[in-house]
Amino acid sequence: MPIFPARFRPLLFALIMSAFMSLLMSGVITFINTGMDAGFVWRWLRAWVVAWVVAFPLISIIAPLAHRLTDRLIRP
């Protein structure tokens, strides 16, 4: 049951990919740098917000380039 028109696919992809990647990477990096303690979740969420604000526009720009590069590297 699609919700969005196809023209929003690139933007929606960037939104979802940036949310997942920044959430996972900020969690790993926060854990490596500070360890697991009572304040971990709050440090992680704060780091995630900063990471997501950076990741979303970057993925919006880089994803089309990555798709084109991948197309060049794949043999038809």
Side-chain angles (χ1 to χ4, degrees):
M1 169 174 194
I3 298 172
F4 298 99
R7 70 179 184 272
F8 291 114
R9 187 182 196 291
L11 187 62
L12 193 56
F13 172 81
L15 181 74
I16 293 168
M17 179 62 83
S18 64
F20 282 132
M21 288 303 296
S22 60
L23 181 70
L24 295 171
M25 293 304 298
S26 63
V28 169
I29 293 167
T30 301
F31 175 75
I32 288 170
N33 286 331
T34 65
M36 184 72 71
D37 62 12
F40 173 78
V41 172
W42 293 114
R43 285 192 309 276
W44 179 10
L45 291 176
R46 190 169 134 220
W48 173 66
V49 168
V50 172
W52 185 78
V53 167
V54 173
F56 177 61
L58 288 177
I59 288 178
S60 298
I61 295 166
I62 293 170
L65 300 172
H67 284 293
R68 284 195 295 272
L69 179 58
T70 301
D71 290 343
R72 289 180 184 225
L73 295 172
I74 299 296
R75 190 176 315 150

